[in-house]
Amino acid sequence: MTPNEALQEVGSQNQGSLFQRISHTISRWSGSSWAFMLALGVVLGWALTGPMFQYSETWQLVINTGTTIVTFLMVFLIQRAQNKDSLVLHLKLNELIAATKGASNRLINAQDFTEEEIAVLHRFYCLLAEKAQQDNDLGRTHTVEEAEENHAEKMVSHSA
């Protein structure tokens, strides 16, 4: 199945479960100016009622309980949105890697690599960056071997 066929199949289905639609709507709304103004209004309203309730423990408990519940629920919505955004970003990067001539397809799904594999790749790209810096042409090489060959050719041509 090609990516286009997969997208058409997904597009022909409904736009997600009820939970997905609700969480998406809440996530979008909670990041709006209106949500901030509402939260600010609640806090100001609570603060202004302090003298009326003589700053009692119950008065304090109301804001503490309310903010704790909202924070608890928002953590899950934020994490869900972040997971989705991260996955979409990985898919876009995978598409760029797959479509770019000379790019290493080994990096597709790099997010699934172990920490040790990531450390090895990091060292590789640090070495490649050093070689490219010596070459003064960052777009010329895609592998350490190419960088070393280009550098060696450059050194031979400068010494001749």
Side-chain angles (χ1 to χ4, degrees):
M1 175 180 283
T2 68
N4 286 339
E5 290 169 341
L7 287 174
Q8 286 174 350
E9 182 178 314
V10 170
S12 67
Q13 298 171 356
N14 66 11
Q15 294 299 315
S17 70
L18 178 62
F19 174 74
Q20 288 175 334
R21 291 192 308 266
I22 290 171
S23 64
H24 177 74
T25 301
I26 292 171
S27 293
R28 287 185 58 111
W29 183 82
S30 65
S32 71
S33 297
W34 288 107
F36 175 78
M37 295 304 290
L38 177 65
L40 181 62
V42 168
V43 170
L44 287 175
W46 169 80
L48 292 173
T49 61
M52 184 170 48
F53 292 103
Q54 300 170 348
Y55 303 101
S56 68
E57 288 183 23
T58 304
W59 173 79
Q60 293 177 29
L61 187 62
V62 166
I63 196 71
N64 289 336
T65 303
T67 56
T68 300
I69 291 169
V70 169
T71 301
F72 178 76
L73 295 174
M74 289 305 295
V75 164
F76 294 102
L77 283 176
I78 291 167
Q79 187 61 52
R80 183 183 182 286
Q82 184 175 354
N83 289 345
K84 181 181 176 185
D85 288 348
S86 178
L87 180 59
V88 168
L89 180 62
H90 288 297
L91 290 171
K92 289 177 180 181
L93 290 172
N94 289 344
E95 173 67 14
L96 290 173
I97 292 168
T100 303
K101 183 180 178 181
S104 173
N105 286 340
R106 292 177 293 185
L107 292 179
I108 293 176
N109 287 334
Q111 70 274 8
D112 297 330
F113 290 176
T114 65
E115 289 184 27
E116 292 81 22
E117 291 169 323
I118 292 170
V120 167
L121 282 170
H122 179 70
R123 288 192 298 273
F124 168 80
Y125 283 107
C126 286
L127 180 58
L128 182 58
E130 285 177 29
K131 298 290 182 184
Q133 191 173 28
Q134 292 170 358
D135 219 7
N136 290 328
D137 187 358
L138 297 176
R140 187 170 172 194
T141 59
H142 294 95
T143 67
V144 172
E145 293 80 15
E146 286 178 6
E148 287 174 343
E149 288 173 16
N150 290 340
H151 186 66
E153 289 174 13
K154 183 178 172 184
M155 289 295 121
V156 169
S157 68
H158 284 312
S159 63

